[in-house]
Amino acid sequence: MDRWQLDKRRKAETVRDGPLVLIADHAHGPRIEAVNRAATAAGARRGMMLADARALCPAIVTAPSDPAGDLTFLEDLAIWAQRWGPWSALDVPDSLLVDVTAVPHLFGGEERLLDDVYEAFARRRLTIRAAIAPTAGAAWAMTHFGPDRAIVERGEPIERALADLPVAALRLDQDVLTVLRRLGLKRLGEIGTIGRDAIQRRFRNRKSPAANPLIRLDQLFGRVPEPLLPVIPQQMPLVQRRLVEPIRHRELLDRVVADLADDMARELERQGQGARRLELGLWRVDGEVVVRRLEMAEATRDPAHIVRLFAARLDDIDAGFGIEMLRLRANWAEPLALEQADIEAATENRGTSLAACIDRLTVRLGAQAINRPMPFASHIPERAQRWQPPLEPEPASQGQLAFHARPLKLLDNPEKIAVLYATPDGYPQRFRWRGQVHEVARVEGPERIAPEWWRERGRARLRDYYRIEDEEGRRYWIYRLGIIGDGRGGPPDWYLQGLYA
């Protein structure tokens, strides 16, 4: 083993075994969202600022948190956890609630049920804390503030089983917990010592369960119901054909694929959806499974289009001793409204749609061979779009950019113009562009756009944009780069960047 590989392995072991925290950017700097055991032992806590954690342990390794990915993973776990109960619910960001009523006897009792839960999660290399309790609030409290493994028997009073837990086990807002601590209430068993009337007078205007300790107490002890939203797995459209006789010829295979495409189109139409990703599985007689996948640029349920795309993916299929079953599944589907076909319009509008053209080129050339422009959240006009493969998800956009009026045509590169104005910081009155002088009749503006400080250098200048119209009615989009006396260069320059219709 050479030195580079040895250093790489040591770094990987350090990241795995050393203190690791997940961080997210906030107004006052990076804040810790999650910690591993080594970081917890070093003093790092969730909600702590990263600078404070580094003061305690300079060797902490950081990685960005992914809340959306965590939620998706938690949803998948909730569906998988339904092996222990008829339904499950999410308690974001880190908990699952599974209804195990009348289920433990199937595993040999509640202890055996918890054993199976821990073993199943251990096989997935996940560390958990689990508890069984009569109410969802009690189970949450025991898993977060009780022992690593707890069972609250139904005959046992919940008040006595949870009396030593901190008041944070009530799932209250932080400001409410602060008020309770100032009142000297640190344990659940201490809340009953001051009486319900005193707590009711202090929190009588709080209607949310997370802001009212009495509501949370009643939910915890089962006095009032706690509504939960179960996770329902979405059944993806799937069609299949089991063949009486195995097929080996391409002509017969194309015929069966066409039948599957028709069945899939009817299933998608019944659900009001269109397929974005399709997976075709072919089961051979010898047990081998051949899989071909498609991903479309736009949701579709056109069987002819689906067959045409799969035709290019089936050329290298080895049928062996024959194919006995085919299955077509839509792994990704989007809502697609029903539409009435117009026979006369179909005869006039011939050709291929843009989405269908992208799909065909992608199948032939590969997903990375084609790019399309996508809007990008940036105030700088020339950076307001990016090129990416057509099948990649669209980037998140910022709604605050939607109100800006932009011309229909932007020049590839802003062109420098000569502008005459009454005062150095006044409106333009006349400008010369491409050898022609234009008299300005109307002006709107300015719209000031500051440079992006995180990517520009310190001497980058701001822009003042104007929408102008000349005497012949033509409209332009120009901007002044810099202002007089900004200390970032000489006199400001003028550029023309866009043309209005």
Side-chain angles (χ1 to χ4, degrees):
M1 180 181 297
D2 57 25
R3 184 173 181 178
W4 179 81
Q5 292 178 341
L6 182 60
D7 293 341
K8 187 175 182 182
R9 175 175 293 183
R10 287 176 178 173
K11 290 181 180 179
E13 292 176 353
T14 302
V15 171
R16 182 177 66 250
D17 302 330
L20 173 67
V21 298
L22 302 181
I23 61 173
D25 290 331
H26 291 269
H28 300 288
R31 180 178 296 172
I32 297 177
E33 299 293 330
V35 297
N36 66 351
R37 291 183 176 179
T40 302
R45 297 290 183 270
R46 181 180 178 182
M48 179 185 291
M49 303 303 294
L50 179 61
D52 299 334
R54 287 197 184 278
L56 297 175
C57 180
I60 284 182
V61 180
T62 63
S65 63
D66 182 14
D70 294 342
L71 179 59
T72 301
F73 180 69
L74 195 63
E75 291 175 347
D76 295 339
L77 278 183
I79 297 174
W80 173 75
Q82 292 178 2
R83 63 181 63 196
W84 296 297
W87 63 268
S88 60
L90 298 180
D91 188 79
V92 180
D94 57 2
S95 303
L96 294 178
L97 297 170
V98 183
D99 182 16
V100 296
T101 305
V103 173
H105 73 279
L106 300 176
F107 293 84
E110 294 179 343
E111 289 287 349
R112 296 282 186 86
L113 175 59
L114 282 183
D115 291 339
D116 188 73
V117 170
Y118 276 92
E119 290 175 1
F121 276 91
R123 287 193 297 268
R124 290 194 164 205
R125 303 179 67 181
L126 296 174
T127 304
I128 64 168
R129 294 165 58 93
I132 297 179
T135 65
W140 189 95
M142 295 300 290
T143 54
H144 285 74
F145 299 96
D148 291 343
R149 180 189 180 108
I151 298 178
V152 181
E153 303 291 344
R154 289 192 174 273
E156 180 183 1
I158 302 179
E159 295 88 340
R160 184 168 54 189
L162 307 181
D164 293 333
L165 298 184
V167 293
L170 288 178
R171 298 173 292 170
L172 296 170
D173 294 334
Q174 189 60 41
D175 60 332
V176 180
L177 294 176
T178 303
V179 173
L180 293 178
R181 293 191 184 99
R182 289 175 179 174
L183 294 175
L185 303 177
K186 299 180 180 179
R187 303 290 174 183
L188 293 181
E190 299 173 353
I191 297 181
T193 60
I194 64 174
R196 293 180 61 93
D197 294 339
I199 298 179
Q200 178 64 28
R201 286 194 299 270
R202 181 171 289 273
F203 297 99
R204 60 179 178 272
N205 296 327
R206 306 289 185 95
K207 303 301 180 182
S208 172
N212 194 316
L214 293 181
I215 298 178
R216 282 303 195 196
L217 275 175
D218 293 338
Q219 292 178 346
L220 183 71
F221 299 145
R223 298 167 185 163
V224 296
E226 180 179 355
L228 298 173
L229 185 63
V231 177
I232 301 176
Q234 183 180 4
Q235 299 296 331
M236 303 307 296
L238 182 145
V239 294
Q240 67 179 16
R241 289 292 176 93
R242 295 183 180 271
L243 307 177
V244 178
E245 294 290 339
I247 59 175
R248 299 181 57 188
H249 301 289
R250 176 60 186 273
E251 181 180 354
L252 297 177
L253 178 61
D254 291 340
R255 188 180 306 172
V256 178
V257 171
D259 294 339
L260 284 175
D262 291 334
D263 297 342
M264 177 60 69
R266 286 190 291 267
E267 181 66 19
L268 291 170
E269 185 176 1
R270 184 183 65 83
Q271 299 183 14
Q273 293 183 326
R276 285 291 305 273
R277 185 183 296 121
L278 290 170
E279 181 180 276
L280 177 64
L282 301 93
W283 274 256
R284 300 194 328 187
V285 175
D286 57 3
E288 184 177 348
V289 181
V290 182
V291 179
R292 293 294 183 269
R293 295 178 178 87
L294 286 179
E295 191 165 339
M296 274 73 73
E298 189 177 72
T300 182
R301 53 171 175 261
D302 182 8
H305 183 54
I306 295 174
V307 171
R308 187 180 299 111
L309 295 180
F310 269 120
R313 295 291 179 89
L314 301 178
D315 293 334
D316 58 343
I317 293 294
D318 181 10
F321 294 102
I323 299 173
E324 60 181 357
M325 189 180 75
L326 291 89
R327 176 180 295 173
L328 183 61
R329 182 199 303 270
N331 293 335
W332 177 14
E334 294 180 346
L336 185 62
L338 299 176
E339 59 182 12
Q340 178 66 41
D342 191 341
I343 299 178
E344 295 182 358
T347 59
E348 297 176 359
N349 301 328
R350 297 183 179 181
T352 304
S353 65
L354 177 60
C357 178
I358 292 176
D359 293 340
R360 295 184 189 180
L361 293 175
T362 301
V363 170
R364 294 183 180 181
L365 305 178
Q368 303 299 324
I370 305 170
N371 289 326
R372 63 171 175 172
M374 295 297 299
F376 181 74
S378 176
H379 292 278
I380 307 301
E382 57 266 25
R383 296 176 183 160
Q385 75 172 23
R386 289 186 176 181
W387 291 85
Q388 69 177 35
L391 302 184
E392 289 186 4
E394 296 185 5
S397 61
Q398 298 178 2
Q400 61 264 31
L401 303 180
F403 65 88
H404 293 303
R406 294 292 181 260
L408 294 179
K409 181 179 180 181
L410 290 178
L411 302 182
D412 292 336
N413 296 301
E415 298 184 9
K416 194 172 183 179
I417 58 176
V419 173
L420 175 65
Y421 39 83
T423 59
D425 56 351
Y427 292 139
Q429 297 181 347
R430 182 185 303 113
F431 70 96
R432 180 187 297 273
W433 177 51
R434 295 182 178 179
Q436 186 175 358
V437 178
H438 301 266
E439 296 289 338
V440 178
R442 295 178 179 85
V443 180
E444 294 180 0
E447 173 191 343
R448 176 159 293 181
I449 297 180
E452 296 178 342
W453 55 267
W454 58 91
R455 69 163 66 234
E456 300 282 1
R457 295 183 177 180
R459 299 189 62 81
R461 313 184 75 173
L462 56 80
R463 303 180 184 183
D464 283 337
Y465 279 85
Y466 296 87
R467 293 183 293 273
I468 63 175
E469 180 179 328
D470 63 10
E471 293 180 343
E472 298 181 2
R474 292 187 292 262
R475 305 190 68 192
Y476 307 89
W477 201 41
I478 66 175
Y479 70 89
R480 179 180 58 210
L481 182 63
I483 57 177
I484 297 293
D486 58 3
R488 298 187 175 184
D493 295 323
W494 287 84
Y495 293 88
L496 189 146
Q497 191 165 15
L499 303 174
Y500 290 90

